[in-house]
Amino acid sequence: MSEMFCFQCEQTAKGCGCTVAGVCGKKPATANLQDELTGTLVALARLAGQDPSDHLRQVIISGLFVTVTNVAFDDEAIREQIAEAKELALASGGEQAPKVLDMQSIWNAQDDVRSLKSLLLFGMRGMAAYAYHARVLGYIDDTVDAFFIKGLRAVGEEHTIDELLALTMECGQVNLKCMELLDKANTETYGTPEPTKVTTNLVPGPFIVVSGHDLKDLELLLKQTAGKGVNVYTHGEMLPAHAYPKLKAYPQLKGNFGTAWQNQQKEFADLKGAVLFTTNCIMPVKPSYADRVFTTEVVSYPGLVHIGEEKDFTPVIKRALELGGYPEGRKMTGINGGETLTTGFGWGTVLSVADKVIDAVKAGAIKHFFLVGGCDGAKPGRNYYTEFVEKSPKDTVILTLACGKYRFNDLDLGEIGGIPRLLDMGQCNDAYGAIRVALALSEAFGVGVNELPLSMVLSWYEQKAVCILLTLLSLGIQNIHIGPSLPAFVSPGVLNVLVSKFGLTPISTAEADLQKLLAK
């Protein structure tokens, strides 16, 4: 019997599943606790009743988020989540003891059943991250919350292949609503994103690097660092924060540190600043910088200081002041040597110049749009996305979002009639914005989305990418190219359905794929 089983992320061992230790750094005990948490959430969903409390829904959402890759490495923190879920399940069931689902029954199920239940579960885990962030800002949707309960029940029930496939498509449809909710939460709270140039260089003095997706945590840190001589830099998925008017108004928000999340162990080594992880994307912390890393919200790692619900970031600020930063600043670049990143081309900005875009297409100045986005990762083969963008013809426009953009977002691709050829639309959840843009272009040209000169070339790593893919498929979007490898949890039978019904295609080479897609 294996010590653990996990195949939810792209880098899983041998492309099949991690059974001895997680490639992400997760230990078997941690993986098994996450399975126990998932099984307990299934039990809780079964006992939830017709009108579940908001507390119960919050426990389910945070519990699902905890099981996303690169979120929780601290066993004690996961045990606390399990205990809370079990206590709530017991209270919800009255005399009925909660029957925790043994996740081995899923991992050892018939191939197509295992595949579809995994697709559903992992999609819900990704969607839970978005629902969690929206809740932090006070935005809740009953339809979204209800689906978590419905989907978790289905994971523990007997269903036909057709029923499970329908549930995965429903997950995609509900995730669109969830991403719309988070988009509304972010823009109503912090303003509509504006195109903004962000430096990769550091100024002299103490600083804090903030990683993750939680804009509320960044806002609170900015408020608490005001007037204290501590600068703040974004990292990874936090880069789009620079485009929100209410966040960019803070003068100590100086720039973006480093590149994508998977380079943190190298980029954080002997760092002269403090680091705060607000969501997923934390890697096993190296001793050379462990004394300056802090976590908050659902992120946990053994031995690190965790900032709790009181959100007092004093320990982070104090550590930054102790470290002192770099006396003369430091020049840093993106992966391709550029020193400036431009972000903030959300759907509001893009649609505000839609007439120019449409005119450019009609005049033949723009021949094709490529959405090149998704999660980045450490596995070889991801240079494909850099090559793809570099080799894209000068009469094409690249839309990008999520941390996969770090492969090429420091490149200067020029403009077409005043429209930048590279448009950074934001975080992974901003796939909602890309969908809105695609639907608007579809309406403007009087054709279906699949008839537009638009191709989607996506990279995936973890479960937020899974729920976005389900959303795109549920909208009937065809011929998506995905890489660098196909998910291990997609069985041959399920893959055949996805290929025949949606034309889902693995990436090949940048040149070959460009030639094929431009012939569309």
Side-chain angles (χ1 to χ4, degrees):
M1 183 177 174
S2 62
E3 295 182 57
M4 61 175 280
F5 182 75
C6 184
F7 64 170
Q8 68 175 0
C9 83
E10 184 265 337
Q11 66 180 8
T12 196
K14 299 178 182 177
C16 299
C18 295
T19 56
V20 178
V23 174
C24 66
K26 184 167 59 179
K27 294 179 180 177
T30 309
N32 293 328
L33 282 170
Q34 290 183 349
D35 273 359
E36 184 182 348
L37 175 56
T38 303
T40 305
L41 295 178
V42 171
L44 180 57
R46 285 169 171 164
L47 298 170
Q50 293 299 312
D51 187 23
S53 68
D54 188 66
H55 177 56
L56 183 146
R57 294 187 287 173
Q58 172 63 42
V59 167
I60 284 178
I61 289 168
S62 60
L64 283 167
F65 193 1
V66 161
T67 60
V68 170
T69 306
N70 293 94
V71 171
F73 291 84
D74 184 14
D75 292 356
E76 191 52 42
I78 302 170
R79 286 192 186 97
E80 289 175 8
Q81 291 263 348
I82 293 170
E84 184 177 20
K86 283 185 176 177
E87 183 180 347
L88 195 52
L90 191 58
S92 301
E95 298 297 319
Q96 184 180 355
K99 187 177 179 182
V100 175
L101 177 69
D102 180 0
M103 293 303 291
Q104 291 301 317
S105 67
I106 306 298
W107 311 143
N108 295 322
Q110 186 270 340
D111 275 1
D112 292 342
V113 171
R114 177 176 83 158
S115 181
L116 288 169
K117 284 192 173 184
S118 297
L119 194 58
L120 174 61
L121 174 61
F122 301 157
M124 287 192 294
R125 287 177 175 176
M127 183 166 68
Y130 299 145
Y132 187 98
H133 295 316
R135 275 179 162 265
V136 165
L137 295 174
Y139 288 71
I140 295 170
D141 186 281
D142 291 340
T143 302
V144 172
D145 288 359
F147 185 78
F148 290 121
I149 294 172
K150 178 180 180 178
L152 281 169
R153 286 174 178 167
V155 169
E157 296 169 343
E158 295 294 324
H159 282 281
T160 67
I161 296 298
D162 285 344
E163 287 170 343
L164 289 171
L165 187 60
L167 280 164
T168 63
M169 292 300 101
E170 186 179 351
C171 182
Q173 292 160 5
V174 175
N175 183 58
L176 180 62
K177 184 179 282 288
C178 188
M179 289 194 296
E180 181 181 11
L181 179 72
L182 181 53
D183 176 85
K184 182 180 180 183
N186 287 339
T187 54
E188 290 188 353
T189 306
Y190 301 113
T192 300
E194 306 165 343
T196 304
K197 287 189 176 182
V198 183
T199 181
T200 60
N201 295 323
L202 305 181
V203 299
F207 66 93
I208 298 168
V209 174
V210 185
S211 190
H213 305 71
D214 203 306
L215 300 180
K216 181 67 173 177
D217 282 329
L218 176 63
E219 179 193 23
L220 293 173
L221 182 67
L222 288 168
K223 286 181 177 179
Q224 293 179 38
T225 52
K228 294 185 178 174
V230 176
N231 292 316
V232 176
Y233 295 86
T234 56
H235 173 265
E237 284 281 28
M238 196 61 81
L239 168 64
H242 290 273
Y244 288 92
K246 289 187 180 177
L247 296 175
K248 67 191 291 187
Y250 288 90
Q252 72 269 37
L253 183 61
K254 292 296 186 185
N256 188 77
F257 176 90
T259 52
W261 67 271
Q262 77 277 0
N263 298 322
Q264 67 191 252
Q265 291 177 327
K266 178 182 176 183
E267 293 176 347
F268 290 172
D270 302 314
L271 189 69
K272 300 298 183 185
V275 180
L276 175 66
F277 279 96
T278 67
T279 59
N280 58 316
C281 304
I282 189 170
M283 294 181 73
V285 180
K286 297 287 188 181
S288 65
Y289 61 89
D291 64 337
R292 59 208 66 186
V293 179
F294 300 80
T295 60
T296 192
E297 294 294 345
V298 296
V299 188
S300 64
Y301 195 86
L304 301 186
V305 175
H306 186 79
I307 307 299
E309 292 180 7
E310 74 286 351
K311 293 297 180 182
D312 181 359
F313 292 113
T314 300
V316 190
I317 297 168
K318 181 181 176 184
R319 189 69 183 112
L321 288 167
E322 289 170 351
L323 291 163
Y326 298 100
E328 298 178 359
R330 177 170 277 197
K331 178 179 177 180
M332 299 183 70
T333 69
I335 288 176
N336 303 288
E339 296 177 37
T340 303
L341 313 174
T342 302
T343 189
F345 290 97
W347 64 266
T349 296
V350 175
L351 292 185
S352 72
V353 295
D355 53 342
K356 287 185 180 179
V357 174
I358 292 164
D359 288 346
V361 173
K362 289 180 176 176
I366 296 177
K367 293 282 176 52
H368 207 90
F369 297 89
F370 293 108
L371 174 60
V372 185
C375 309
D376 205 0
K379 198 171 178 180
R382 290 181 178 267
N383 288 339
Y384 164 95
Y385 297 95
T386 311
E387 265 188 71
F388 189 97
V389 170
E390 285 179 325
K391 291 179 177 178
S392 62
K394 293 189 175 169
D395 55 5
T396 62
V397 170
I398 308 292
L399 305 172
T400 190
L401 45 83
C403 60
K405 63 178 169 255
Y406 280 100
R407 292 279 167 174
F408 47 79
N409 68 340
D410 61 327
L411 293 170
D412 183 0
L413 300 183
E415 297 182 344
I416 300 175
I419 301 165
R421 283 194 57 227
L422 180 61
L423 300 175
D424 177 4
M425 301 193 71
Q427 296 179 334
C428 53
N429 58 281
D430 291 309
Y432 166 74
I435 291 167
R436 282 201 64 157
V437 169
L439 293 175
L441 289 174
S442 169
E443 186 177 338
F445 288 108
V447 299
V449 172
N450 292 314
E451 282 69 56
L452 286 172
L454 167 68
S455 301
M456 298 190 180
V457 183
L458 308 179
S459 56
W460 83 283
Y461 172 75
E462 41 86 320
Q463 297 76 64
K464 294 196 297 298
V466 173
C467 68
I468 290 170
L469 178 63
L470 291 179
T471 294
L472 295 173
L473 296 180
S474 73
L475 289 168
I477 294 175
Q478 300 278 328
N479 303 316
I480 298 169
H481 282 54
I482 187 169
S485 57
L486 291 174
F489 54 82
V490 173
S491 67
V494 172
L495 180 59
N496 284 340
V497 172
L498 296 179
V499 171
S500 62
K501 189 171 182 179
F502 302 104
L504 189 69
T505 305
I507 60 171
S508 57
T509 67
E511 286 184 356
D513 288 347
L514 271 168
Q515 187 174 1
K516 179 171 67 172
L517 294 170
L518 287 169
K520 177 179 172 181

